[in-house]
Amino acid sequence: QSALTQPPSASGSPGQSVTISCTGTSSDVGGYNYVSWYQQHPGKAPKLMIYEVTERPSGVPDRFSGSKSGNTASLTVSGLQAEDEADYYCSSYAGSNNFKVFGGGTKLTVL
Amino acid sequence: EVQLVESGGGLVQPGGSLRLSCAASGFTFSGYAMSWVRQAPGKGLEWVSAISGSAGSTHYADSVKGRFTISRDNSKNTLYLQMNSLRAEDTAVYYCGKEANYYGSGSTIDCWGQGTLVTVSS
């Protein structure tokens, strides 16, 4: 059960857009449209931001969007705001054997 | 409002055991799969285990297989994680999470508890 690969850090200025990648294999990200993204502020529980690659839960701003190409999923945050500064984790269904796998996390800094 | 409240964490010696609980409210507990996810200090999230709504299906990460057991009591709206043969590397905040469907397969965790800290140390 190898973790999905995310860049350790990303950054952008307020108002800019930032994209965070999440690379897996054909056994997880590439094999299923079940990629989720979570936001975690320091000392807090994770919060679901995107599910099933592109879907946003109610209450999540439309500045957050998801996509996938092959074995790589991406989270794009547009119109960066100070409160977007947090750790972001991707997750994917990985089949009946491995079930669920997370990425290592990306620390997003708003400059 | 969906609420998940974990309890049972604490300090335990290597080789020891601990049972975590997660009390759920605000939704039909038996209708959803549940998961445990942990986060070691300063590290990322690691999925640990999942159980279907009826408890008929369970799944474990390789790192805990054979040592941890997930279970649920739908009459008490409570999820459990029995942790045996604990190791230093099991030290983490343990979160319970509500899956978005009954089986958990292909699902997402759409609600998380606040976590309970487990420290394995002599």
Side-chain angles (χ1 to χ4, degrees), chain B residues 48-89:
Chain B
V48 172
S49 184
I51 187 168
S52 64
S54 66
S57 175
T58 59
H59 305 268
Y60 297 93
D62 288 343
S63 57
V64 306
K65 203 170 291 183
R67 300 187 298 123
F68 290 10
T69 301
I70 191 171
S71 62
R72 63 192 297 162
D73 185 337
N74 287 342
S75 69
K76 295 182 178 180
N77 289 352
T78 302
L79 174 72
Y80 303 101
L81 185 67
Q82 177 67 43
M83 304 186 295
N84 298 332
S85 303
L86 283 162
R87 307 166 180 166
E89 53 264 37

PDB file of all heavy atoms in Angstrom, chain B residues 48-89:
ATOM      1  N   VAL B  48      -6.364   3.387   8.106  1.00  0.00           N
ATOM      2  CA  VAL B  48      -6.072   2.250   8.977  1.00  0.00           C
ATOM      3  C   VAL B  48      -7.025   1.090   8.728  1.00  0.00           C
ATOM      4  O   VAL B  48      -6.599  -0.053   8.547  1.00  0.00           O
ATOM      5  CB  VAL B  48      -6.142   2.670  10.462  1.00  0.00           C
ATOM      6  CG1 VAL B  48      -6.031   1.465  11.377  1.00  0.00           C
ATOM      7  CG2 VAL B  48      -5.048   3.694  10.768  1.00  0.00           C
ATOM      8  N   SER B  49      -8.334   1.387   8.737  1.00  0.00           N
ATOM      9  CA  SER B  49      -9.299   0.301   8.669  1.00  0.00           C
ATOM     10  C   SER B  49     -10.667   0.855   8.303  1.00  0.00           C
ATOM     11  O   SER B  49     -10.944   2.039   8.513  1.00  0.00           O
ATOM     12  CB  SER B  49      -9.375  -0.415  10.024  1.00  0.00           C
ATOM     13  OG  SER B  49     -10.233  -1.532   9.966  1.00  0.00           O
ATOM     14  N   ALA B  50     -11.520  -0.017   7.753  1.00  0.00           N
ATOM     15  CA  ALA B  50     -12.882   0.367   7.410  1.00  0.00           C
ATOM     16  C   ALA B  50     -13.822  -0.799   7.664  1.00  0.00           C
ATOM     17  O   ALA B  50     -13.407  -1.967   7.642  1.00  0.00           O
ATOM     18  CB  ALA B  50     -12.975   0.811   5.946  1.00  0.00           C
ATOM     19  N   ILE B  51     -15.098  -0.468   7.898  1.00  0.00           N
ATOM     20  CA  ILE B  51     -16.103  -1.478   8.158  1.00  0.00           C
ATOM     21  C   ILE B  51     -17.401  -1.058   7.489  1.00  0.00           C
ATOM     22  O   ILE B  51     -17.767   0.118   7.505  1.00  0.00           O
ATOM     23  CB  ILE B  51     -16.289  -1.679   9.682  1.00  0.00           C
ATOM     24  CG1 ILE B  51     -17.213  -2.845   9.993  1.00  0.00           C
ATOM     25  CG2 ILE B  51     -16.761  -0.390  10.353  1.00  0.00           C
ATOM     26  CD1 ILE B  51     -17.199  -3.251  11.473  1.00  0.00           C
ATOM     27  N   SER B  52     -18.100  -2.012   6.896  1.00  0.00           N
ATOM     28  CA  SER B  52     -19.350  -1.702   6.226  1.00  0.00           C
ATOM     29  C   SER B  52     -20.460  -1.425   7.246  1.00  0.00           C
ATOM     30  O   SER B  52     -20.296  -1.665   8.444  1.00  0.00           O
ATOM     31  CB  SER B  52     -19.758  -2.850   5.303  1.00  0.00           C
ATOM     32  OG  SER B  52     -20.007  -4.013   6.069  1.00  0.00           O
ATOM     33  N   GLY B  53     -21.582  -0.955   6.743  1.00  0.00           N
ATOM     34  CA  GLY B  53     -22.679  -0.563   7.618  1.00  0.00           C
ATOM     35  C   GLY B  53     -23.199  -1.680   8.516  1.00  0.00           C
ATOM     36  O   GLY B  53     -23.559  -1.438   9.672  1.00  0.00           O
ATOM     37  N   SER B  54     -23.212  -2.891   7.986  1.00  0.00           N
ATOM     38  CA  SER B  54     -23.715  -4.035   8.759  1.00  0.00           C
ATOM     39  C   SER B  54     -22.611  -4.769   9.493  1.00  0.00           C
ATOM     40  O   SER B  54     -22.879  -5.752  10.189  1.00  0.00           O
ATOM     41  CB  SER B  54     -24.395  -5.028   7.813  1.00  0.00           C
ATOM     42  OG  SER B  54     -23.427  -5.585   6.941  1.00  0.00           O
ATOM     43  N   ALA B  55     -21.368  -4.320   9.317  1.00  0.00           N
ATOM     44  CA  ALA B  55     -20.173  -4.974   9.875  1.00  0.00           C
ATOM     45  C   ALA B  55     -19.859  -6.280   9.161  1.00  0.00           C
ATOM     46  O   ALA B  55     -19.021  -7.055   9.612  1.00  0.00           O
ATOM     47  CB  ALA B  55     -20.315  -5.230  11.379  1.00  0.00           C
ATOM     48  N   GLY B  56     -20.500  -6.525   8.026  1.00  0.00           N
ATOM     49  CA  GLY B  56     -20.246  -7.752   7.295  1.00  0.00           C
ATOM     50  C   GLY B  56     -18.950  -7.758   6.523  1.00  0.00           C
ATOM     51  O   GLY B  56     -18.470  -8.806   6.089  1.00  0.00           O
ATOM     52  N   SER B  57     -18.372  -6.595   6.340  1.00  0.00           N
ATOM     53  CA  SER B  57     -17.143  -6.474   5.565  1.00  0.00           C
ATOM     54  C   SER B  57     -16.177  -5.548   6.290  1.00  0.00           C
ATOM     55  O   SER B  57     -16.563  -4.460   6.712  1.00  0.00           O
ATOM     56  CB  SER B  57     -17.466  -5.908   4.182  1.00  0.00           C
ATOM     57  OG  SER B  57     -16.309  -5.675   3.438  1.00  0.00           O
ATOM     58  N   THR B  58     -14.938  -6.015   6.446  1.00  0.00           N
ATOM     59  CA  THR B  58     -13.913  -5.192   7.080  1.00  0.00           C
ATOM     60  C   THR B  58     -12.653  -5.179   6.216  1.00  0.00           C
ATOM     61  O   THR B  58     -12.399  -6.119   5.452  1.00  0.00           O
ATOM     62  CB  THR B  58     -13.547  -5.701   8.485  1.00  0.00           C
ATOM     63  OG1 THR B  58     -13.078  -7.060   8.384  1.00  0.00           O
ATOM     64  CG2 THR B  58     -14.734  -5.648   9.426  1.00  0.00           C
ATOM     65  N   HIS B  59     -11.884  -4.088   6.346  1.00  0.00           N
ATOM     66  CA  HIS B  59     -10.656  -3.922   5.571  1.00  0.00           C
ATOM     67  C   HIS B  59      -9.593  -3.320   6.476  1.00  0.00           C
ATOM     68  O   HIS B  59      -9.916  -2.515   7.364  1.00  0.00           O
ATOM     69  CB  HIS B  59     -10.887  -3.002   4.372  1.00  0.00           C
ATOM     70  CG  HIS B  59     -12.005  -3.434   3.479  1.00  0.00           C
ATOM     71  ND1 HIS B  59     -11.808  -4.244   2.386  1.00  0.00           N
ATOM     72  CD2 HIS B  59     -13.342  -3.177   3.522  1.00  0.00           C
ATOM     73  CE1 HIS B  59     -12.970  -4.466   1.792  1.00  0.00           C
ATOM     74  NE2 HIS B  59     -13.916  -3.842   2.457  1.00  0.00           N
ATOM     75  N   TYR B  60      -8.332  -3.701   6.231  1.00  0.00           N
ATOM     76  CA  TYR B  60      -7.238  -3.208   7.057  1.00  0.00           C
ATOM     77  C   TYR B  60      -6.024  -2.838   6.202  1.00  0.00           C
ATOM     78  O   TYR B  60      -5.747  -3.478   5.189  1.00  0.00           O
ATOM     79  CB  TYR B  60      -6.794  -4.283   8.059  1.00  0.00           C
ATOM     80  CG  TYR B  60      -7.858  -4.682   9.043  1.00  0.00           C
ATOM     81  CD1 TYR B  60      -8.695  -5.765   8.789  1.00  0.00           C
ATOM     82  CD2 TYR B  60      -8.032  -3.969  10.227  1.00  0.00           C
ATOM     83  CE1 TYR B  60      -9.687  -6.124   9.688  1.00  0.00           C
ATOM     84  CE2 TYR B  60      -9.023  -4.327  11.137  1.00  0.00           C
ATOM     85  CZ  TYR B  60      -9.836  -5.399  10.858  1.00  0.00           C
ATOM     86  OH  TYR B  60     -10.817  -5.750  11.757  1.00  0.00           O
ATOM     87  N   ALA B  61      -5.302  -1.824   6.658  1.00  0.00           N
ATOM     88  CA  ALA B  61      -4.009  -1.518   6.063  1.00  0.00           C
ATOM     89  C   ALA B  61      -3.029  -2.623   6.448  1.00  0.00           C
ATOM     90  O   ALA B  61      -3.143  -3.221   7.521  1.00  0.00           O
ATOM     91  CB  ALA B  61      -3.500  -0.170   6.562  1.00  0.00           C
ATOM     92  N   ASP B  62      -2.084  -2.891   5.582  1.00  0.00           N
ATOM     93  CA  ASP B  62      -1.098  -3.936   5.858  1.00  0.00           C
ATOM     94  C   ASP B  62      -0.351  -3.670   7.175  1.00  0.00           C
ATOM     95  O   ASP B  62       0.026  -4.605   7.880  1.00  0.00           O
ATOM     96  CB  ASP B  62      -0.082  -4.034   4.712  1.00  0.00           C
ATOM     97  CG  ASP B  62      -0.674  -4.646   3.457  1.00  0.00           C
ATOM     98  OD1 ASP B  62      -1.749  -5.279   3.554  1.00  0.00           O
ATOM     99  OD2 ASP B  62      -0.068  -4.484   2.383  1.00  0.00           O
ATOM    100  N   SER B  63      -0.159  -2.409   7.504  1.00  0.00           N
ATOM    101  CA  SER B  63       0.627  -2.041   8.683  1.00  0.00           C
ATOM    102  C   SER B  63      -0.046  -2.442   9.997  1.00  0.00           C
ATOM    103  O   SER B  63       0.619  -2.502  11.043  1.00  0.00           O
ATOM    104  CB  SER B  63       0.899  -0.531   8.680  1.00  0.00           C
ATOM    105  OG  SER B  63      -0.312   0.194   8.639  1.00  0.00           O
ATOM    106  N   VAL B  64      -1.350  -2.714   9.972  1.00  0.00           N
ATOM    107  CA  VAL B  64      -2.057  -3.053  11.207  1.00  0.00           C
ATOM    108  C   VAL B  64      -2.756  -4.408  11.141  1.00  0.00           C
ATOM    109  O   VAL B  64      -3.304  -4.873  12.142  1.00  0.00           O
ATOM    110  CB  VAL B  64      -3.090  -1.970  11.583  1.00  0.00           C
ATOM    111  CG1 VAL B  64      -2.428  -0.595  11.640  1.00  0.00           C
ATOM    112  CG2 VAL B  64      -4.268  -1.973  10.615  1.00  0.00           C
ATOM    113  N   LYS B  65      -2.708  -5.036   9.975  1.00  0.00           N
ATOM    114  CA  LYS B  65      -3.416  -6.309   9.794  1.00  0.00           C
ATOM    115  C   LYS B  65      -2.892  -7.337  10.787  1.00  0.00           C
ATOM    116  O   LYS B  65      -1.696  -7.501  10.960  1.00  0.00           O
ATOM    117  CB  LYS B  65      -3.208  -6.780   8.355  1.00  0.00           C
ATOM    118  CG  LYS B  65      -4.258  -7.743   7.847  1.00  0.00           C
ATOM    119  CD  LYS B  65      -4.102  -7.964   6.336  1.00  0.00           C
ATOM    120  CE  LYS B  65      -4.448  -6.738   5.542  1.00  0.00           C
ATOM    121  NZ  LYS B  65      -4.369  -6.952   4.071  1.00  0.00           N
ATOM    122  N   GLY B  66      -3.810  -8.016  11.450  1.00  0.00           N
ATOM    123  CA  GLY B  66      -3.452  -9.022  12.429  1.00  0.00           C
ATOM    124  C   GLY B  66      -3.257  -8.468  13.833  1.00  0.00           C
ATOM    125  O   GLY B  66      -3.152  -9.236  14.796  1.00  0.00           O
ATOM    126  N   ARG B  67      -3.181  -7.150  13.973  1.00  0.00           N
ATOM    127  CA  ARG B  67      -2.995  -6.527  15.288  1.00  0.00           C
ATOM    128  C   ARG B  67      -4.201  -5.699  15.700  1.00  0.00           C
ATOM    129  O   ARG B  67      -4.515  -5.609  16.889  1.00  0.00           O
ATOM    130  CB  ARG B  67      -1.753  -5.636  15.292  1.00  0.00           C
ATOM    131  CG  ARG B  67      -0.456  -6.364  14.971  1.00  0.00           C
ATOM    132  CD  ARG B  67       0.749  -5.440  15.179  1.00  0.00           C
ATOM    133  NE  ARG B  67       0.721  -4.269  14.296  1.00  0.00           N
ATOM    134  CZ  ARG B  67       0.756  -3.015  14.740  1.00  0.00           C
ATOM    135  NH1 ARG B  67       0.816  -2.751  16.023  1.00  0.00           N
ATOM    136  NH2 ARG B  67       0.746  -2.003  13.877  1.00  0.00           N
ATOM    137  N   PHE B  68      -4.855  -5.052  14.732  1.00  0.00           N
ATOM    138  CA  PHE B  68      -5.999  -4.196  15.021  1.00  0.00           C
ATOM    139  C   PHE B  68      -7.277  -4.887  14.541  1.00  0.00           C
ATOM    140  O   PHE B  68      -7.274  -5.607  13.549  1.00  0.00           O
ATOM    141  CB  PHE B  68      -5.868  -2.858  14.288  1.00  0.00           C
ATOM    142  CG  PHE B  68      -4.790  -1.941  14.801  1.00  0.00           C
ATOM    143  CD1 PHE B  68      -3.834  -2.365  15.724  1.00  0.00           C
ATOM    144  CD2 PHE B  68      -4.726  -0.630  14.364  1.00  0.00           C
ATOM    145  CE1 PHE B  68      -2.843  -1.510  16.186  1.00  0.00           C
ATOM    146  CE2 PHE B  68      -3.748   0.235  14.817  1.00  0.00           C
ATOM    147  CZ  PHE B  68      -2.806  -0.207  15.724  1.00  0.00           C
ATOM    148  N   THR B  69      -8.370  -4.616  15.266  1.00  0.00           N
ATOM    149  CA  THR B  69      -9.677  -5.134  14.869  1.00  0.00           C
ATOM    150  C   THR B  69     -10.702  -4.014  14.925  1.00  0.00           C
ATOM    151  O   THR B  69     -10.864  -3.358  15.970  1.00  0.00           O
ATOM    152  CB  THR B  69     -10.134  -6.272  15.784  1.00  0.00           C
ATOM    153  OG1 THR B  69      -9.166  -7.334  15.751  1.00  0.00           O
ATOM    154  CG2 THR B  69     -11.484  -6.820  15.334  1.00  0.00           C
ATOM    155  N   ILE B  70     -11.381  -3.794  13.816  1.00  0.00           N
ATOM    156  CA  ILE B  70     -12.433  -2.790  13.761  1.00  0.00           C
ATOM    157  C   ILE B  70     -13.769  -3.482  13.999  1.00  0.00           C
ATOM    158  O   ILE B  70     -13.987  -4.627  13.568  1.00  0.00           O
ATOM    159  CB  ILE B  70     -12.431  -2.053  12.399  1.00  0.00           C
ATOM    160  CG1 ILE B  70     -13.337  -0.831  12.425  1.00  0.00           C
ATOM    161  CG2 ILE B  70     -12.790  -3.000  11.259  1.00  0.00           C
ATOM    162  CD1 ILE B  70     -13.213   0.060  11.181  1.00  0.00           C
ATOM    163  N   SER B  71     -14.661  -2.799  14.708  1.00  0.00           N
ATOM    164  CA  SER B  71     -15.994  -3.346  14.946  1.00  0.00           C
ATOM    165  C   SER B  71     -16.950  -2.184  15.166  1.00  0.00           C
ATOM    166  O   SER B  71     -16.531  -1.033  15.291  1.00  0.00           O
ATOM    167  CB  SER B  71     -16.007  -4.288  16.155  1.00  0.00           C
ATOM    168  OG  SER B  71     -15.643  -3.598  17.337  1.00  0.00           O
ATOM    169  N   ARG B  72     -18.227  -2.492  15.210  1.00  0.00           N
ATOM    170  CA  ARG B  72     -19.231  -1.466  15.443  1.00  0.00           C
ATOM    171  C   ARG B  72     -20.419  -2.071  16.155  1.00  0.00           C
ATOM    172  O   ARG B  72     -20.706  -3.270  16.009  1.00  0.00           O
ATOM    173  CB  ARG B  72     -19.653  -0.820  14.128  1.00  0.00           C
ATOM    174  CG  ARG B  72     -20.325  -1.755  13.138  1.00  0.00           C
ATOM    175  CD  ARG B  72     -20.455  -1.103  11.751  1.00  0.00           C
ATOM    176  NE  ARG B  72     -21.317   0.078  11.791  1.00  0.00           N
ATOM    177  CZ  ARG B  72     -21.325   1.015  10.843  1.00  0.00           C
ATOM    178  NH1 ARG B  72     -20.512   0.904   9.797  1.00  0.00           N
ATOM    179  NH2 ARG B  72     -22.146   2.045  10.934  1.00  0.00           N
ATOM    180  N   ASP B  73     -21.100  -1.241  16.944  1.00  0.00           N
ATOM    181  CA  ASP B  73     -22.339  -1.626  17.611  1.00  0.00           C
ATOM    182  C   ASP B  73     -23.405  -0.663  17.115  1.00  0.00           C
ATOM    183  O   ASP B  73     -23.479   0.480  17.592  1.00  0.00           O
ATOM    184  CB  ASP B  73     -22.171  -1.562  19.132  1.00  0.00           C
ATOM    185  CG  ASP B  73     -23.395  -2.080  19.875  1.00  0.00           C
ATOM    186  OD1 ASP B  73     -24.500  -2.080  19.298  1.00  0.00           O
ATOM    187  OD2 ASP B  73     -23.241  -2.468  21.036  1.00  0.00           O
ATOM    188  N   ASN B  74     -24.197  -1.104  16.171  1.00  0.00           N
ATOM    189  CA  ASN B  74     -25.188  -0.216  15.574  1.00  0.00           C
ATOM    190  C   ASN B  74     -26.304   0.143  16.550  1.00  0.00           C
ATOM    191  O   ASN B  74     -26.970   1.163  16.371  1.00  0.00           O
ATOM    192  CB  ASN B  74     -25.765  -0.836  14.299  1.00  0.00           C
ATOM    193  CG  ASN B  74     -24.769  -0.805  13.146  1.00  0.00           C
ATOM    194  OD1 ASN B  74     -23.783  -0.054  13.174  1.00  0.00           O
ATOM    195  ND2 ASN B  74     -25.015  -1.615  12.132  1.00  0.00           N
ATOM    196  N   SER B  75     -26.499  -0.658  17.582  1.00  0.00           N
ATOM    197  CA  SER B  75     -27.518  -0.334  18.585  1.00  0.00           C
ATOM    198  C   SER B  75     -27.056   0.807  19.489  1.00  0.00           C
ATOM    199  O   SER B  75     -27.874   1.487  20.100  1.00  0.00           O
ATOM    200  CB  SER B  75     -27.843  -1.562  19.432  1.00  0.00           C
ATOM    201  OG  SER B  75     -26.746  -1.912  20.253  1.00  0.00           O
ATOM    202  N   LYS B  76     -25.731   1.013  19.545  1.00  0.00           N
ATOM    203  CA  LYS B  76     -25.163   2.084  20.376  1.00  0.00           C
ATOM    204  C   LYS B  76     -24.570   3.211  19.530  1.00  0.00           C
ATOM    205  O   LYS B  76     -23.987   4.150  20.075  1.00  0.00           O
ATOM    206  CB  LYS B  76     -24.075   1.528  21.294  1.00  0.00           C
ATOM    207  CG  LYS B  76     -24.587   0.531  22.324  1.00  0.00           C
ATOM    208  CD  LYS B  76     -23.456   0.049  23.228  1.00  0.00           C
ATOM    209  CE  LYS B  76     -23.995  -0.910  24.287  1.00  0.00           C
ATOM    210  NZ  LYS B  76     -22.910  -1.407  25.181  1.00  0.00           N
ATOM    211  N   ASN B  77     -24.713   3.110  18.206  1.00  0.00           N
ATOM    212  CA  ASN B  77     -24.143   4.124  17.296  1.00  0.00           C
ATOM    213  C   ASN B  77     -22.669   4.372  17.596  1.00  0.00           C
ATOM    214  O   ASN B  77     -22.209   5.526  17.652  1.00  0.00           O
ATOM    215  CB  ASN B  77     -24.917   5.445  17.395  1.00  0.00           C
ATOM    216  CG  ASN B  77     -26.297   5.365  16.776  1.00  0.00           C
ATOM    217  OD1 ASN B  77     -26.644   4.368  16.139  1.00  0.00           O
ATOM    218  ND2 ASN B  77     -27.098   6.398  16.970  1.00  0.00           N
ATOM    219  N   THR B  78     -21.934   3.306  17.784  1.00  0.00           N
ATOM    220  CA  THR B  78     -20.536   3.432  18.192  1.00  0.00           C
ATOM    221  C   THR B  78     -19.630   2.537  17.358  1.00  0.00           C
ATOM    222  O   THR B  78     -19.950   1.376  17.089  1.00  0.00           O
ATOM    223  CB  THR B  78     -20.367   3.089  19.685  1.00  0.00           C
ATOM    224  OG1 THR B  78     -21.200   3.961  20.463  1.00  0.00           O
ATOM    225  CG2 THR B  78     -18.913   3.286  20.123  1.00  0.00           C
ATOM    226  N   LEU B  79     -18.502   3.118  16.970  1.00  0.00           N
ATOM    227  CA  LEU B  79     -17.446   2.431  16.221  1.00  0.00           C
ATOM    228  C   LEU B  79     -16.293   2.167  17.171  1.00  0.00           C
ATOM    229  O   LEU B  79     -16.014   2.984  18.058  1.00  0.00           O
ATOM    230  CB  LEU B  79     -16.987   3.319  15.068  1.00  0.00           C
ATOM    231  CG  LEU B  79     -15.796   2.872  14.235  1.00  0.00           C
ATOM    232  CD1 LEU B  79     -16.183   1.698  13.341  1.00  0.00           C
ATOM    233  CD2 LEU B  79     -15.271   4.043  13.398  1.00  0.00           C
ATOM    234  N   TYR B  80     -15.608   1.049  16.974  1.00  0.00           N
ATOM    235  CA  TYR B  80     -14.485   0.692  17.837  1.00  0.00           C
ATOM    236  C   TYR B  80     -13.249   0.339  17.018  1.00  0.00           C
ATOM    237  O   TYR B  80     -13.335  -0.038  15.850  1.00  0.00           O
ATOM    238  CB  TYR B  80     -14.835  -0.528  18.713  1.00  0.00           C
ATOM    239  CG  TYR B  80     -16.048  -0.345  19.574  1.00  0.00           C
ATOM    240  CD1 TYR B  80     -17.280  -0.882  19.208  1.00  0.00           C
ATOM    241  CD2 TYR B  80     -15.972   0.379  20.773  1.00  0.00           C
ATOM    242  CE1 TYR B  80     -18.403  -0.710  19.992  1.00  0.00           C
ATOM    243  CE2 TYR B  80     -17.102   0.555  21.566  1.00  0.00           C
ATOM    244  CZ  TYR B  80     -18.313   0.003  21.165  1.00  0.00           C
ATOM    245  OH  TYR B  80     -19.421   0.175  21.959  1.00  0.00           O
ATOM    246  N   LEU B  81     -12.095   0.483  17.678  1.00  0.00           N
ATOM    247  CA  LEU B  81     -10.848  -0.028  17.110  1.00  0.00           C
ATOM    248  C   LEU B  81     -10.073  -0.657  18.263  1.00  0.00           C
ATOM    249  O   LEU B  81      -9.599   0.049  19.151  1.00  0.00           O
ATOM    250  CB  LEU B  81     -10.023   1.078  16.448  1.00  0.00           C
ATOM    251  CG  LEU B  81      -8.764   0.576  15.734  1.00  0.00           C
ATOM    252  CD1 LEU B  81      -9.144  -0.271  14.506  1.00  0.00           C
ATOM    253  CD2 LEU B  81      -7.864   1.741  15.300  1.00  0.00           C
ATOM    254  N   GLN B  82      -9.983  -1.970  18.249  1.00  0.00           N
ATOM    255  CA  GLN B  82      -9.185  -2.690  19.227  1.00  0.00           C
ATOM    256  C   GLN B  82      -7.768  -2.799  18.701  1.00  0.00           C
ATOM    257  O   GLN B  82      -7.544  -3.356  17.624  1.00  0.00           O
ATOM    258  CB  GLN B  82      -9.759  -4.086  19.469  1.00  0.00           C
ATOM    259  CG  GLN B  82      -8.943  -4.935  20.438  1.00  0.00           C
ATOM    260  CD  GLN B  82      -8.958  -4.392  21.856  1.00  0.00           C
ATOM    261  OE1 GLN B  82     -10.004  -3.981  22.353  1.00  0.00           O
ATOM    262  NE2 GLN B  82      -7.803  -4.384  22.499  1.00  0.00           N
ATOM    263  N   MET B  83      -6.825  -2.254  19.455  1.00  0.00           N
ATOM    264  CA  MET B  83      -5.428  -2.221  19.020  1.00  0.00           C
ATOM    265  C   MET B  83      -4.585  -3.071  19.967  1.00  0.00           C
ATOM    266  O   MET B  83      -4.498  -2.768  21.168  1.00  0.00           O
ATOM    267  CB  MET B  83      -4.928  -0.777  19.001  1.00  0.00           C
ATOM    268  CG  MET B  83      -5.780   0.146  18.133  1.00  0.00           C
ATOM    269  SD  MET B  83      -5.086   1.798  17.995  1.00  0.00           S
ATOM    270  CE  MET B  83      -5.211   2.343  19.676  1.00  0.00           C
ATOM    271  N   ASN B  84      -3.997  -4.127  19.449  1.00  0.00           N
ATOM    272  CA  ASN B  84      -3.136  -5.016  20.225  1.00  0.00           C
ATOM    273  C   ASN B  84      -1.709  -4.968  19.709  1.00  0.00           C
ATOM    274  O   ASN B  84      -1.449  -4.466  18.612  1.00  0.00           O
ATOM    275  CB  ASN B  84      -3.662  -6.456  20.134  1.00  0.00           C
ATOM    276  CG  ASN B  84      -5.053  -6.610  20.705  1.00  0.00           C
ATOM    277  OD1 ASN B  84      -5.474  -5.877  21.607  1.00  0.00           O
ATOM    278  ND2 ASN B  84      -5.802  -7.579  20.176  1.00  0.00           N
ATOM    279  N   SER B  85      -0.796  -5.498  20.510  1.00  0.00           N
ATOM    280  CA  SER B  85       0.626  -5.553  20.128  1.00  0.00           C
ATOM    281  C   SER B  85       1.106  -4.203  19.605  1.00  0.00           C
ATOM    282  O   SER B  85       1.731  -4.110  18.544  1.00  0.00           O
ATOM    283  CB  SER B  85       0.841  -6.641  19.057  1.00  0.00           C
ATOM    284  OG  SER B  85       0.405  -7.897  19.518  1.00  0.00           O
ATOM    285  N   LEU B  86       0.818  -3.169  20.343  1.00  0.00           N
ATOM    286  CA  LEU B  86       1.133  -1.813  19.895  1.00  0.00           C
ATOM    287  C   LEU B  86       2.639  -1.570  19.824  1.00  0.00           C
ATOM    288  O   LEU B  86       3.408  -2.092  20.639  1.00  0.00           O
ATOM    289  CB  LEU B  86       0.453  -0.789  20.798  1.00  0.00           C
ATOM    290  CG  LEU B  86      -1.047  -0.619  20.525  1.00  0.00           C
ATOM    291  CD1 LEU B  86      -1.755   0.047  21.692  1.00  0.00           C
ATOM    292  CD2 LEU B  86      -1.255   0.179  19.242  1.00  0.00           C
ATOM    293  N   ARG B  87       3.006  -0.778  18.835  1.00  0.00           N
ATOM    294  CA  ARG B  87       4.413  -0.441  18.586  1.00  0.00           C
ATOM    295  C   ARG B  87       4.580   1.065  18.634  1.00  0.00           C
ATOM    296  O   ARG B  87       3.608   1.820  18.502  1.00  0.00           O
ATOM    297  CB  ARG B  87       4.810  -0.937  17.196  1.00  0.00           C
ATOM    298  CG  ARG B  87       4.526  -2.396  16.920  1.00  0.00           C
ATOM    299  CD  ARG B  87       4.623  -2.694  15.440  1.00  0.00           C
ATOM    300  NE  ARG B  87       4.360  -4.110  15.139  1.00  0.00           N
ATOM    301  CZ  ARG B  87       4.123  -4.574  13.919  1.00  0.00           C
ATOM    302  NH1 ARG B  87       4.130  -3.737  12.879  1.00  0.00           N
ATOM    303  NH2 ARG B  87       3.907  -5.863  13.740  1.00  0.00           N
ATOM    304  N   ALA B  88       5.803   1.509  18.779  1.00  0.00           N
ATOM    305  CA  ALA B  88       6.076   2.942  18.818  1.00  0.00           C
ATOM    306  C   ALA B  88       5.544   3.634  17.557  1.00  0.00           C
ATOM    307  O   ALA B  88       5.045   4.766  17.627  1.00  0.00           O
ATOM    308  CB  ALA B  88       7.575   3.187  18.968  1.00  0.00           C
ATOM    309  N   GLU B  89       5.641   2.957  16.432  1.00  0.00           N
ATOM    310  CA  GLU B  89       5.198   3.562  15.172  1.00  0.00           C
ATOM    311  C   GLU B  89       3.678   3.662  15.046  1.00  0.00           C
ATOM    312  O   GLU B  89       3.176   4.240  14.087  1.00  0.00           O
ATOM    313  CB  GLU B  89       5.775   2.810  13.969  1.00  0.00           C
ATOM    314  CG  GLU B  89       5.519   1.320  13.964  1.00  0.00           C
ATOM    315  CD  GLU B  89       6.672   0.516  14.542  1.00  0.00           C
ATOM    316  OE1 GLU B  89       7.311   0.977  15.518  1.00  0.00           O
ATOM    317  OE2 GLU B  89       6.926  -0.593  14.022  1.00  0.00           O
TER     318      GLU B  89
END
